[in-house]
Structures are given as C-alpha cells and as structure tokens.
Amino acid sequence: GNSVTQMEGPVTLSEEAFLTINCTYTATGYPSLFWYVQYPGEGLQLLLKATKADDKGSNKGFEATYRKETTSFHLEKGSVQVSDSAVYFCALSRGGDDKIIFGKGTRLHILP
Amino acid sequence: EADIYQTPRYLVIGTGKKITLECSQTMGHDKMYWYQQDPGMELHLIHYSYGVNSTEKGDLSSESTVSRIRTEHFPLTLESARPSHTSQYLCASSPLVGDQYFGPGTRLLVL
C-alpha cells in the first residue's frame, strides 16, 4: 500500500543552521507530494508541493525536489530561524478520490 | 487564505456528556475531513465526506459520528464523551481536485 516515512524528531538546530528533514514514500503510479507545517496551537498549512518527477516545490525559503528514482521528497532550508520551529509533515496523494497519506511528523526546534 | 473555522477551540467536559464539534468552510469545497491528532502528533483520519449526504468512516475507528447536510458544514458528535476521547481534532476541506486546507483545531479534554 501507499505510505510515507519521515525522519523521527525532535530535530534541534541553532539559528542560521542548514536544515534537512528526510522523507521517503511508497506508492503506485505517480503521486503528488506535499510538505505541511503545523505551528504551535494551529492547524496544518500547506508549505509546498510537487506534482511530478524532478519538480521542485519551494516556499518561505524551504525547498523539496520530487525524486522518483530514490522515492524521496526531502525538505531543506539553507538558514533556519527561530520562527521555523514547528511540526513538519510529509504527505502524498494519488489524486481523485484517494485520500492524503501523512507521515508521522517531525518536530523542529530552533535555538536562538 | 483558507477560510475554514472550528469551534470551540478548547473544550473541557465531564464523562458522559454529549458534545458537538463544529467545522465550517466558506470556500464551497466538496470534500471535508476530520482527523484526530494524538500527543505524538500523528494524524488519524476518522471521517470524511465527498459531498452533501455523503459520509464515510476513515482509517481509525472512532465512536464519533458526522453529518453533511450542507456543503459548508461538517459537525462531529460524540454521544457520550469518555477520557479516551481526549485529543486534538482537526477539520479540513478540499475541492474535488486540489489541496487540503485545515482549520485551527479543537483541543478536547474529557475529565
């Protein structure tokens, strides 16, 4: 079946450090891939997405590239800020009536 | 900006009480969802709807029920709350083709 595996947290970094949160997926066909972010006390927000192989999604300095050969969609940011502290969810969807499948989430702490 | 609302944001209630968690969206989305989020953050889909008068159970068994009488409204009801129902409940909506938008969540504590 379809599934998403992301690195376990928490991840703790100092401000301005480089961030990578790993995400790999298992799916039939050609799913769309997403990163959602959940700030404290809030619901999830779509951070970025990619709908086909080699696409790069980007938003707020975050990037992720859809790698079909490695079935990965790793989230990266060159210089994190304290305000990036949140929980990040990798997800996939095959579209149509298929539901979104979420990873278990990775909590990120950024220290000033 | 997504317009999806949940009320109440926080609820503390005693065991055995009936509760209804409200979810409304003003985007005209056909699809709506309820997720339960445990303290470890993982999301579990408990109900979804693809349109008026359509409701389905999700991947996680839940004692709650839902209704979809109007497109914009997707309330979740617990007939008799128990401490095991303590959790955060997230509502979401999406068009037939497109991204999911989430509400701010309801944090429920059953004593």
Side-chain angles (χ1 to χ4, degrees), chain A residues 16-53:
Chain A
E16 299 182 6
F18 184 87
L19 168 71
T20 300
I21 300 179
N22 290 336
C23 172
T24 57
Y25 69 90
T26 302
T28 56
Y30 301 92
S32 294
L33 302 174
F34 308 86
W35 278 100
Y36 282 82
V37 58
Q38 185 177 29
Y39 297 105
E42 298 182 13
L44 277 69
Q45 302 174 24
L46 179 63
L47 180 60
L48 54 85
K49 67 178 182 181
T51 57
K52 61 182 188 296

Side-chain angles (χ1 to χ4, degrees), chain B residues 1-12:
Chain B
E1 189 74 20
D3 295 318
I4 179 164
Y5 309 97
Q6 291 186 243
T7 57
R9 293 293 312 278
Y10 304 93
L11 180 61
V12 181

Side-chain angles (χ1 to χ4, degrees), chain A residues 2 14 19-21 33 38-39 56 60 62 70 78 81 89 95 105:
Chain A
N2 301 325
S14 297
L19 168 71
T20 300
I21 300 179
L33 302 174
Q38 185 177 29
Y39 297 105
K56 178 186 283 187
K60 299 182 180 180
F62 291 89
T70 54
Q81 307 300 312
F89 292 88

Side-chain angles (χ1 to χ4, degrees), chain A residues 34 36 38 41-46 49 87 89 95-100 102-107, chain B residues 9 31 33 35 37 39-43 45 48 50 59 88 90 96 99-100 102-105 107:
Chain A
F34 308 86
Y36 282 82
Q38 185 177 29
E42 298 182 13
L44 277 69
Q45 302 174 24
L46 179 63
K49 67 178 182 181
V87 180
F89 292 88
D97 285 347
D98 276 8
K99 300 176 285 298
I100 290 185
F102 289 92
K104 294 186 177 182
T106 302
R107 189 178 298 276
Chain B
R9 293 293 312 278
K31 297 182 178 181
Y33 310 82
Y35 293 87
Q37 186 172 30
M41 307 170 301
E42 190 170 359
L43 293 165
L45 181 67
Y48 62 99
Y50 286 168
D59 306 318
Q88 170 149 264
L90 294 170
L96 284 176
D99 303 325
Q100 268 191 30
F102 281 80
R107 199 173 290 276

Side-chain angles (χ1 to χ4, degrees), chain B residues 7-65:
Chain B
T7 57
R9 293 293 312 278
Y10 304 93
L11 180 61
V12 181
I13 202 161
T15 296
K17 300 292 186 183
K18 178 179 178 179
I19 60 169
T20 296
L21 307 184
E22 302 288 350
C23 176
S24 297
Q25 50 94 6
T26 58
M27 298 171 282
H29 287 169
D30 290 293
K31 297 182 178 181
M32 296 190 75
Y33 310 82
W34 276 105
Y35 293 87
Q36 186 173 338
Q37 186 172 30
D38 61 26
M41 307 170 301
E42 190 170 359
L43 293 165
H44 301 283
L45 181 67
I46 52 175
H47 298 282
Y48 62 99
S49 166
Y50 286 168
V52 171
N53 295 325
S54 149
T55 61
E56 301 287 345
K57 290 189 179 296
D59 306 318
L60 180 70
S61 175
S62 173
E63 293 164 350
S64 58
T65 59

